[in-house]
Amino acid sequence: MYSYLEFEKPIADLDGQIMELKKLQQGESGGVDVAEEISRLEKRSSEALVEIYKKLAPWQKAQVARHPDRPHCQAYVDALFTEFTPLAGDRNFAEDQAIIAGFARFGGNAVAVIGQEKGSDTQSRLKHNFGMARPEGYRKAVRIMELANRFGLPVITLVDTAGAYPGIGAEERGQAEAIARSTEMCLNLEVPIVSVVIGEGGSGGAIAIATANKVYMLEHAIYSVISPEGCASILWRDAARAKDAATAMKVTAQDLLALKVIDGIIDEPVGGAHRDSAKVMETTRKTIDTALSDLNKLDGPGLKKARREKFLAIGRDLG
């Protein structure tokens, strides 16, 4: 069984009926045949899922992006890369497990991998601080990018964070400066950098590792300067208006592609990435592979120039 979101209640009701009938079927020793009814309900459930996901509102997409069963960074690392060797610490203060970083092989070629890991249960979420990195996490990312640049290795980043950690200790250790340095390093790399927003792309915590030559988003991911709840709290002093904020902020992949903030959308299975993670991993792999093939045609200065021009051009043609 899946964890159902509020707007998925019609599907949850149908799937509940299907489960009850299947239990009844298993317990019957020769009674009523319910196979036909199960088949009918399964068809209705599938049709309802397609119908609901055809017209998701921005706030509903935000809920899908945050779904507890959605595959996170570590799942992508395990599926997309081989020989992954994680590196720890920023060589200055501490190790930050909100950011996973290291070197691996992608399609047989050496690459650097950096991603934000939220965790999948209470223990791992606490371990990874819900994917919210502290300054040492971004300084670790900078260290990995410097090594990648030195050895001519492409950088692949996987973005999934509500934002950088806003705690007092993080601010005391220079959170804003660490994010700025990480963003600067992304801009100055003379190797290809490809970024995929796999869930939430929140604020500077996301852009710090997503200032890439090619930026992609999963179909139901979100990407914004602040969370919808945070925006609602500032504008209306009411976090409950997050639904209105999500619509006004243009947080969806479809909105951001139209605004030319991102370069493409990676399709998800109907119902979200958590319903068929293997399929979304394969689609993501193909997207990254195509992007790297295109970027490998440029030399170092060309990659740096193209990246700079890409970000300077955002918003240039708007109103």
Side-chain angles (χ1 to χ4, degrees):
M1 287 290 290
Y2 299 107
S3 296
Y4 294 93
L5 299 170
E6 183 180 351
F7 64 85
E8 294 178 318
K9 189 177 185 304
I11 303 163
D13 291 341
L14 289 168
D15 287 352
Q17 292 177 47
I18 291 167
M19 284 193 67
E20 289 300 319
L21 287 174
K22 285 183 176 178
K23 288 178 183 177
L24 179 65
Q25 188 179 45
Q26 290 170 0
E28 289 288 339
S29 58
V32 179
D33 184 6
V34 294
E36 186 176 336
E37 180 65 10
I38 291 173
S39 178
R40 187 181 69 81
L41 288 172
E42 286 177 338
K43 183 180 179 182
R44 282 181 58 193
S45 177
S46 296
E47 289 172 348
L49 187 67
V50 171
E51 190 62 29
I52 287 171
Y53 273 79
K54 268 198 310 190
K55 51 186 180 183
L56 289 184
W59 177 239
Q60 292 172 328
K61 281 184 176 284
Q63 292 175 282
V64 178
R66 298 167 173 173
H67 197 287
D69 298 332
R70 192 174 179 87
H72 295 138
C73 176
Q74 188 62 60
Y76 283 86
V77 171
D78 294 341
L80 301 179
F81 305 98
T82 58
E83 300 180 39
F84 177 65
T85 303
L87 298 184
D90 64 347
R91 298 296 185 267
N92 184 39
F93 181 76
E95 158 67 351
D96 184 353
Q97 298 198 60
I99 287 188
I100 294 173
F103 296 94
R105 291 195 180 275
F106 178 77
N109 299 312
V111 297
V113 182
I114 302 169
Q116 289 146 333
E117 171 60 40
K118 283 185 171 181
S120 55
D121 55 31
T122 302
Q123 186 175 356
S124 61
R125 285 170 187 147
L126 291 172
K127 173 183 175 182
H128 295 289
N129 199 34
F130 299 85
M132 296 186 292
R134 297 174 171 87
E136 44 272 22
Y138 294 109
R139 291 175 180 136
K140 175 172 68 172
V142 168
R143 184 165 75 90
I144 302 304
M145 286 189 273
E146 285 176 338
L147 287 170
N149 204 45
R150 185 182 307 171
F151 293 107
L153 303 180
V155 178
I156 299 169
T157 70
L158 302 168
V159 179
D160 191 12
T161 182
Y165 185 61
I168 293 174
E171 296 297 338
E172 288 175 342
R173 295 193 299 278
Q175 182 72 289
E177 184 267 348
I179 290 171
R181 294 288 183 189
S182 185
T183 306
E184 179 188 37
M185 177 55 65
C186 288
L187 286 169
N188 288 327
L189 289 176
E190 293 195 350
V191 295
I193 174 169
V194 177
S195 182
V196 181
V197 182
I198 59 175
E200 286 187 273
S203 190
I207 199 68
I209 63 169
T211 313
N213 291 99
K214 296 287 185 182
V215 181
Y216 298 96
M217 288 177 67
L218 265 63
E219 182 181 356
H220 301 308
I222 60 170
Y223 193 18
S224 60
V225 70
I226 191 173
S227 70
E229 294 91 339
C231 176
S233 295
I234 292 170
L235 290 182
W236 300 296
R237 301 290 191 268
D238 183 4
R241 293 189 64 180
K243 180 178 179 180
D244 298 328
T247 302
M249 290 167 63
K250 307 291 186 185
V251 300
T252 70
Q254 295 73 22
D255 287 331
L256 294 168
L257 182 63
L259 293 170
K260 299 182 180 179
V261 172
I262 64 171
D263 299 284
I265 298 173
I266 299 173
D267 292 336
E268 294 187 34
V270 177
H274 56 284
R275 290 182 179 266
D276 191 346
S277 59
K279 183 176 181 180
V280 81
M281 300 291 176
E282 180 58 20
T283 309
T284 302
R285 185 193 65 76
K286 289 178 179 177
T287 301
I288 295 173
D289 187 48
T290 300
L292 289 177
S293 296
D294 292 341
L295 293 173
N296 283 333
K297 298 171 185 174
L298 299 174
D299 61 7
L303 287 163
K304 184 176 176 180
K305 181 181 178 183
R307 196 180 306 122
R308 172 184 169 82
E309 290 177 349
K310 167 188 168 64
F311 282 89
L312 286 175
I314 292 175
R316 184 178 291 164
D317 300 326
L318 299 179

